Amino acid sequence: MKKLILAMLLLSSFPDTMAGAEELTEPEIISEAAVLTDSESGAILYEKNADKKMFPASLTKIATAIYAIENGDLNEMATVSEEAVEVDGTRVYLEKGEEVPLKKLVQGMLINSGNDAAWAIAEHLDGSMDRYSVNLNSYLKEKVHLENTHFVNPHGLHDENHYTTAEDLAKLTNYALKNETFKKIFGTKELKWSGKSWETTIFTHHRMLKGEVPFEGVTGGKTGFVDEAKQTLATSAENESIKLTAIVLKADFKRDIYKDTKSLLNFGFNHFESSDLSSTEVFPADGKNYTTGGKDVAITLPKGTFNENVTPKGKLLIEDQNGKVIQTVQLSEDKKDEVVSSQLKPEEEPKKETTGYYGKIGLTLFLFAVFILLLIKNLKEKARRRRRV
């Protein structure tokens, strides 16, 4: 009875982890589309119109940056054309004929959102905008695995055929953040700039990264705006438990994209944490064993109670306390036991034990009886010695 009371007291001391806990309250988002993901696992933690076709504005430059970093030589000198100098929108004021290292163009484009730098990058890599568009879209589909994105320029100035989704932008940003060069530039707050026409310091336009909109843990970001796309924002942030990527698209005012981003990041930090599936872990399901295929896999777990279920087809479903699927991981069937079994010859088959459960009990009783007999014999011997005395 005392043990039962103690167990009840222990259970009552953990109300937040019980199955009956209240459902997580998702943030109210003003922007037309938004998505929050774990930067490492890619798990989608919140979404609003995540697969809706949207115009990204200057968030396009995330794609241009990682494409240039992975496909170009950052130490090469690019020659700035007249077309690059005359491009509309934000600039770093390049001069016609100026020779600039490719890395510096990527910095000017990501940090200060220079459209002229973006144009110069595209021309340097592929020679023309048409060839650049073809090559970039192939790269985004084949390397980054984006399915709902089509870009026709490197900077994001409006074109009806230039579109993406919030989900694709999050996937793109997560992919790019795995590259240390991109990650460093994406998180740069200011940079001294020495060009042919001016010397200055360029600053990020991202107010949370710069500190104008206070929020602890922001590690990188990119802003965007054109009339058709309205305000857009990409943000990376982290704490001791998880790294997050937030994308918000099409807000009327800057204050709204920052408010939405703060709400998304707070939601992620408060309710989720990162973990790993070990390469040695085995998941039984439907008479089969599944593994991660010999590699560690990043996953996202809800804080508190959660469930891990494996489907008959080997998909691991990570669910929160209310049954909502947080992440799906495709496992691999473990064929090791089957291979070993099939390689055994008939005479090599393991011998079956002849000592069953009841046989083991009999042996135990026999040994116990021998012990008692020896004990009795010893006691009798001691009694005889006393009588002799």
Side-chain angles (χ1 to χ4, degrees):
M1 185 64 182
K2 288 182 179 178
K3 290 182 179 179
L4 178 60
I5 294 172
L6 178 60
M8 293 175 68
L9 288 172
L10 287 172
L11 289 173
S12 66
S13 67
F14 299 104
D16 292 338
T17 63
M18 299 301 292
E22 293 182 5
E23 186 175 353
L24 300 182
T25 301
E26 294 189 338
E28 294 183 4
I29 298 302
I30 303 167
S31 303
E32 188 168 318
V35 68
L36 175 71
T37 70
D38 182 325
S39 306
E40 296 183 309
S41 74
I44 296 177
L45 311 179
Y46 171 88
E47 57 183 312
K48 175 184 177 181
N49 295 326
D51 58 354
K52 183 177 180 179
K53 176 181 172 182
M54 304 291 289
F55 301 124
S58 281
L59 302 195
T60 301
K61 291 164 184 167
I62 297 171
T64 302
I66 190 61
Y67 174 71
I69 291 168
E70 291 197 345
N71 292 279
D73 181 347
L74 295 180
N75 296 314
E76 278 187 355
M77 304 298 287
T79 303
V80 179
S81 70
E82 184 175 354
E83 289 82 0
V85 172
E86 294 179 349
V87 70
D88 292 333
T90 310
R91 308 176 191 180
V92 287
Y93 298 100
L94 301 173
E95 293 283 346
K96 179 182 177 182
E98 183 177 358
E99 292 191 345
V100 186
L102 181 58
K103 182 177 180 178
K104 185 175 180 179
L105 291 174
V106 173
Q107 291 171 321
M109 176 188 66
L110 266 188
I111 300 169
N112 202 53
S113 205
N115 290 343
D116 49 357
W119 190 281
I121 290 169
E123 281 190 327
H124 176 73
L125 293 174
D126 293 312
S128 70
M129 287 306 113
D130 288 342
R131 193 176 299 120
Y132 169 82
S133 176
V134 170
N135 291 343
L136 176 66
N137 287 314
S138 295
Y139 167 82
L140 294 176
K141 186 172 184 179
E142 295 168 11
K143 195 74 180 286
V144 193
H145 307 298
L146 305 188
E147 297 294 334
N148 300 298
T149 295
H150 185 264
F151 290 156
V152 299
N153 63 57
H155 41 57
L157 291 177
H158 183 69
D159 188 297
E160 286 295 326
N161 293 316
H162 189 95
Y163 58 84
T164 185
T165 66
E167 183 176 353
D168 269 10
L169 282 173
K171 189 182 294 186
L172 168 66
T173 305
N174 291 341
Y175 175 87
L177 285 169
K178 291 178 173 61
N179 183 286
E180 287 301 318
T181 300
F182 174 90
K183 185 177 180 180
K184 184 175 180 180
I185 300 173
F186 193 63
T188 300
K189 300 177 183 181
E190 61 181 81
L191 181 74
K192 289 184 178 180
W193 184 272
S194 179
K196 188 175 180 180
S197 63
W198 67 331
E199 290 191 12
T200 187
T201 299
I202 59 175
F203 296 89
T204 179
H205 296 179
H206 196 295
R207 293 181 176 180
M208 290 173 72
L209 180 60
K210 195 160 39 175
E212 294 176 351
V213 176
F215 191 90
E216 187 175 352
V218 172
T219 58
K222 182 74 193 76
T223 62
F225 176 82
V226 293
D227 288 339
E228 295 82 359
K230 297 187 177 180
Q231 300 289 342
T232 65
L233 194 68
T235 309
S236 62
E238 63 182 63
N239 65 9
E240 69 281 356
S241 300
I242 193 169
K243 296 179 180 178
L244 299 172
T245 299
I247 305 292
V248 293
L249 301 175
K250 203 171 186 180
D252 289 324
F253 305 103
K254 285 185 179 180
R255 64 173 181 265
D256 292 335
I257 55 172
Y258 289 109
K259 180 180 179 182
D260 285 347
T261 298
K262 290 172 72 173
S263 296
L264 289 170
L265 295 177
N266 278 323
F267 175 73
F269 287 148
N270 289 337
H271 298 296
F272 302 96
E273 58 189 356
S274 293
S275 186
D276 289 292
L277 294 179
S278 170
S279 59
T280 60
E281 198 162 353
V282 177
F283 301 87
D286 201 31
K288 299 177 182 178
N289 286 331
Y290 293 93
T291 69
T292 62
K295 58 184 179 181
D296 293 341
V297 176
I299 58 170
T300 309
L301 301 177
K303 291 183 177 180
T305 299
F306 63 89
N307 298 311
E308 291 182 345
N309 296 313
V310 181
T311 70
K313 293 186 178 181
K315 286 186 177 181
L316 173 65
L317 306 180
I318 300 172
E319 303 171 340
D320 67 15
Q321 59 201 16
N322 300 301
K324 179 183 176 182
V325 176
I326 301 300
Q327 188 177 358
T328 301
V329 179
Q330 181 61 60
L331 302 173
S332 301
E333 187 176 347
D334 187 3
K335 300 283 188 179
K336 184 169 56 178
D337 292 339
E338 295 180 15
V339 172
V340 171
S341 178
S342 65
Q343 290 176 346
L344 287 174
K345 296 178 181 179
E347 61 271 20
E348 294 175 326
E349 289 185 2
K351 295 180 181 180
K352 296 180 179 179
E353 287 189 22
T354 56
T355 303
Y357 177 75
Y358 291 104
K360 291 178 180 177
I361 291 178
L363 178 61
T364 302
L365 291 173
F366 172 76
L367 292 173
F368 182 74
V370 171
F371 171 76
I372 294 298
L373 288 173
L374 291 173
L375 180 62
I376 292 172
K377 183 178 179 181
N378 186 46
L379 292 173
K380 288 181 178 179
E381 183 65 26
K382 287 182 178 179
R384 282 195 295 269
R385 287 174 183 171
R386 291 193 191 99
R387 285 196 294 271
R388 288 174 186 168
V389 173

